[in-house]
């Protein structure tokens, strides 16, 4: 998740001016036109502008190799199979050492360690007496609001494993840190705060993902679940109980044939019955592969809250068998669908943030990555820490040693994928693919917003606005190599 959002408040004089401008009574339109000075096209408000991307092509073909190089693997088959085995273990592994949400051994160990720890930390952090957060109405949350959410979240978590706790996501569901859809923003008057940075929005869980239900909210509208990547509150209707028969059948299918979506959005339906919308990062077992088609298993809910298995037919242009061969040509298919999409903090509105983007991009190739950027860089096979090097040395090392499409670049709160080098103004520079909210100046008093998944070079400074701090100049700078 991109957390490059530290900021300072608006000066009192500027805030007063903003309040006057937003008052209900305004001067006649003719007077406003006579006295108003034109605003720059990139202006949003005194703390925000739009970064001009026109100097950097957003066409996928611009940044990929030509000819036969498009078909050359960037990760060999043995490495892909090794990663794929680890991915299946995390989702479906049932041996004592494996960490699937359906694995009794793993869940029992979680319960012994205290499964309520994360939940209770969030309750204290966001609902404590000293906590302050803003709602969507630009007002601070009341004591009553905090009390109602706290009471709804404070339910008992069983200390022993329950087979009936196993569940499956029926559709993509947003994961919240508390059982409420209300946002909790930091001071929206500050740059980098307010929309879209809802502190309660954690992540999302894709359709068909195994989960373990730890508890329900008091009003039963929410389930507190553990998934392969994240723990949090989800809407109850998005999860169905997976009984022993369903789990056995699903595991058997997934062990033989597992596939992934490579385009978005895909409306998954059969004979007029809609199940869910899928996008890259969604994986499902399949039973048959035919020329041009797959017969894919999908979960559906029954009236008693339990899951049943249904089958849909998907085209091979939207769904592939895993692990998909990791070539630039196949990466291009995903990038054509994923690039240009809006930024979604914690998967807000089912869009990706930085780490969700990288995770979703790697999933069809059988690569499992954790959910947040710091964990992702630590999960790579080889880590090179360049934090003590200057900007020039950091860029030089990446240009010389980076491996296109398998090198992750991490700075605090943000992660990106190195895709190769390009030439800008006669100089060779590293190019990245990333989902980013924006850049900021040294004083953090404003933001230049990008707000989506883009191809973006790493430069010492950006000619569009030299005041902006380079991503390469952050306090930490690490490269992670997927091998």
């Amino acid at each position: 998740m991109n957390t490059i959002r530290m900021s300072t408040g608006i000066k009192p004089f500027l805030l007063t001016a903003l309040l006057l401008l937003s008052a209900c009574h305004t001067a006649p339109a003719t007077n406003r036109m006579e006295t108003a000075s034109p605003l720059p096209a990139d202006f949003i408000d005194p703390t925000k502008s739009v970064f001009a991307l026109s100097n950097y092509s957003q066409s996928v073909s611009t940044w990929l190799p030509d000819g036969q190089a498009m078909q050359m693997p960037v990760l060999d088959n043995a490495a892909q199979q090794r990663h794929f085995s680890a991915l299946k273990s995390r989702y479906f592994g049932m041996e004592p050492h494996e960490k699937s949400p359906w694995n009794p051994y793993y869940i029992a160990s979680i319960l012994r360690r205290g499964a309520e720890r994360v939940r209770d930390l969030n309750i204290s952090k966001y609902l404590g007496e000293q906590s302050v957060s803003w709602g969507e109405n630009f007002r601070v949350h009341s004591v009553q609001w905090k009390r109602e959410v706290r009471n709804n979240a404070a339910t008992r978590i069983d200390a022993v494993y329950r087979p009936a706790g196993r569940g499956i996501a029926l559709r993509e569901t947003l994961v919240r840190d508390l059982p409420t859809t209300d946002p909790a923003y930091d001071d929206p008057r500050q740059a980098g705060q307010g929309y879209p940075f809802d502190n309660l929005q954690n992540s999302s869980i894709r359709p068909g993902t195994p989960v373990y239900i730890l508890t329900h909210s008091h009003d039963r509208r929410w389930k507190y679940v553990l998934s392969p990547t994240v723990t949090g509150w989800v809407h109850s209707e998005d999860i169905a109980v997976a009984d022993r028969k369903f789990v056995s059948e699903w595991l058997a299918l997934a062990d033989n044939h597992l596939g992934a979506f490579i385009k978005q959005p895909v409306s998954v339906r059969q004979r007029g019955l809609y199940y869910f919308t899928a996008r890259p990062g969604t994986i499902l077992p399949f039973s048959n592969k035919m020329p041009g088609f797959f017969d894919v298993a999908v979960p559906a809910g029954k009236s008693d809250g339990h899951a049943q298995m249904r089958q849909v037919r998907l085209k091979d242009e939207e769904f592939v068998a895993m692990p998909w061969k990791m070539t630039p040509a196949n990466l291009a298919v995903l990038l054509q669908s994923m690039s240009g999409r809006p930024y979604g903090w914690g998967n807000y509105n089912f869009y990706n943030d930085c780490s969700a983007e990288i995770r979703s991009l790697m999933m069809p190739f059988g690569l499992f990555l954790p959910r947040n950027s710091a964990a992702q860089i630590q999960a790579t096979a080889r880590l090179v820490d360049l934090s003590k090097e200057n900007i020039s040395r950091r860029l030089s090392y990446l240009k010389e040693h980076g491996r296109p499409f398998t090198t992750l670049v991490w700075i605090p709160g943000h992660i990106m994928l190195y895709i190769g080098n390009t030439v800008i103004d006669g100089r060779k520079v590293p190019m990245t693919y990333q989902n980013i909210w924006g850049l900021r100046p040294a004083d953090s008093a404003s933001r230049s917003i990008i707000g989506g998944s883009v191809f973006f070079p790493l430069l010492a400074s950006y000619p569009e606005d030299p005041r902006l701090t380079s991503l390469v100049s952050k306090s930490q700078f690490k490269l992670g190599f997927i091998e």
Side-chain angles (χ1 to χ4, degrees):
M1 294 166 68
N2 188 332
T3 54
I4 306 175
R5 34 184 297 214
M6 294 175 61
S7 56
T8 58
I10 297 176
K11 297 178 180 178
F13 173 79
L14 181 56
L15 179 58
T16 302
L18 287 173
L19 291 173
L20 290 172
L21 287 171
S22 63
C24 293
H25 177 73
T26 56
T30 53
N31 291 342
R32 292 203 305 274
M33 291 176 65
E34 291 170 359
T35 60
S37 58
L39 294 172
D42 66 350
F43 179 87
I44 298 176
D45 67 33
T47 67
K48 303 178 190 70
S49 62
V50 175
F51 186 90
L53 284 169
S54 54
N55 289 329
Y56 315 112
S57 172
Q58 296 304 306
S59 171
V60 174
S61 60
T62 302
W63 309 113
L64 296 175
D66 298 321
Q68 287 190 328
M70 284 287 283
Q71 306 301 330
M72 297 296 293
V74 297
L75 194 64
D76 64 52
N77 182 65
Q80 275 197 256
Q81 289 295 336
R82 185 178 68 253
H83 282 284
F84 187 42
S85 294
L87 184 152
K88 290 200 295 183
S89 171
R90 195 62 180 261
Y91 274 75
F92 310 112
M94 303 297 283
E95 295 299 321
H97 66 281
E98 296 180 297
K99 297 181 178 181
S100 164
W102 284 352
N103 188 334
Y105 302 103
Y106 175 59
I107 297 301
S109 70
I110 294 291
L111 296 174
R112 284 195 300 270
R113 294 200 299 267
E116 57 280 303
R117 182 179 61 85
V118 173
R119 181 198 61 173
D120 293 349
L121 282 174
N122 287 332
I123 291 174
S124 299
K125 180 177 181 180
Y126 300 117
L127 304 177
E129 291 184 6
Q130 303 304 316
S131 66
V132 178
S133 62
W134 278 256
E136 62 270 67
N137 55 9
F138 295 98
R139 290 171 173 82
V140 172
H141 284 306
S142 66
V143 172
Q144 180 181 352
W145 178 86
K146 291 196 287 185
R147 182 186 304 117
E148 290 174 352
V149 177
R150 184 189 303 111
N151 291 341
N152 201 29
T155 54
R156 180 175 176 270
I157 295 178
D158 287 338
V160 295
Y161 168 77
R162 300 173 295 106
R166 292 186 291 191
I168 192 166
L170 300 177
R171 59 189 66 86
E172 185 164 15
T173 183
L174 295 180
V175 181
R176 307 283 292 166
D177 280 346
L178 292 172
T180 177
T181 55
D182 295 337
Y185 298 118
D186 288 334
D187 191 342
R189 294 168 295 184
Q190 298 183 3
Q193 307 298 348
Y195 174 88
F197 300 110
D198 173 9
N199 290 315
L200 300 185
Q201 182 50 45
N202 189 326
S203 186
S204 74
I205 295 173
R206 299 291 209 269
T209 300
V211 301
Y212 183 81
I213 304 165
L214 293 162
T215 189
H216 296 78
S217 61
H218 272 293
D219 62 11
R220 310 294 287 189
R221 291 181 58 205
W222 300 84
K223 289 182 171 73
Y224 188 63
V225 304
L226 180 149
S227 79
T229 56
V230 66
T231 300
W233 294 95
V234 299
H235 283 293
S236 287
E237 64 268 25
D238 294 343
I239 304 295
V241 174
D243 60 25
R244 191 183 306 276
K245 179 176 181 294
F246 180 92
V247 168
S248 296
E249 293 176 353
W250 195 269
L251 290 177
L253 270 181
D255 185 55
N256 290 322
H257 303 292
L258 195 63
F261 287 83
I262 57 172
K263 287 191 175 180
Q264 65 180 357
V266 177
S267 181
V268 177
R269 61 191 190 274
Q270 189 78 3
R271 290 187 288 275
L273 181 61
Y274 168 81
Y275 291 101
F276 52 79
T277 298
R279 56 197 179 99
T282 305
I283 61 174
L284 295 170
F286 64 91
S287 56
N288 297 303
K289 183 184 184 306
M290 297 156 290
F293 296 96
F294 289 86
D295 286 330
V296 179
V298 299
K302 298 192 293 186
S303 59
D304 63 358
H306 284 67
Q308 58 185 330
M309 194 180 303
R310 291 287 183 259
Q311 185 170 279
V312 300
R313 182 158 289 184
L314 296 174
K315 300 175 183 177
D316 63 3
E317 64 188 38
E318 56 196 15
F319 186 88
V320 296
M322 296 171 69
W324 202 23
K325 191 175 183 181
M326 197 170 181
T327 64
N330 288 341
L331 281 156
V333 172
L334 282 159
L335 291 171
Q336 288 282 4
S337 179
M338 295 175 64
S339 62
R341 303 276 289 180
Y343 175 88
W345 165 261
N347 288 121
Y348 172 78
N349 207 23
F350 301 110
Y351 293 121
N352 286 336
D353 55 23
C354 65
S355 56
E357 188 78 11
I358 301 300
R359 175 176 157 74
S360 300
L361 182 64
M362 295 298 168
M363 186 72 82
F365 305 108
L367 277 66
F368 175 87
L369 286 174
R371 177 57 183 90
N372 69 70
S373 59
Q376 286 182 350
I377 199 69
Q378 290 297 328
T380 54
R382 183 164 56 91
L383 185 66
V384 177
D385 189 347
L386 299 173
S387 301
K388 295 182 179 180
E389 305 291 343
N390 60 30
I391 291 178
S392 177
R393 177 58 181 155
R394 292 176 179 185
L395 290 172
S396 294
Y397 190 96
L398 179 57
K399 287 183 292 184
E400 295 170 11
H401 302 284
R403 298 177 180 176
F405 306 110
T406 59
T407 301
L408 301 183
V409 182
W410 179 86
I411 59 177
H414 188 53
I415 197 159
M416 32 198 152
L417 179 69
Y418 169 74
I419 61 172
N421 299 322
T422 189
V423 176
I424 295 179
D425 293 334
R427 294 177 299 164
K428 185 167 69 171
V429 299
M431 178 59 67
T432 68
Y433 176 74
Q434 55 181 297
N435 201 320
I436 182 173
W437 178 243
L439 305 175
R440 65 188 183 191
D443 63 5
S444 296
S446 64
R447 293 294 185 276
S448 184
I449 295 172
I450 296 172
S453 49
V454 294
F455 297 97
F456 198 60
L458 292 183
L459 305 177
S461 65
Y462 290 93
E464 292 80 7
D465 187 347
R467 297 171 301 172
L468 297 174
T469 300
S470 169
L471 297 176
V472 191
S473 68
K474 301 300 179 178
S475 60
Q476 298 181 68
F477 188 86
K478 300 178 182 180
L479 306 182
F481 294 85
I482 299 172
E483 298 175 345

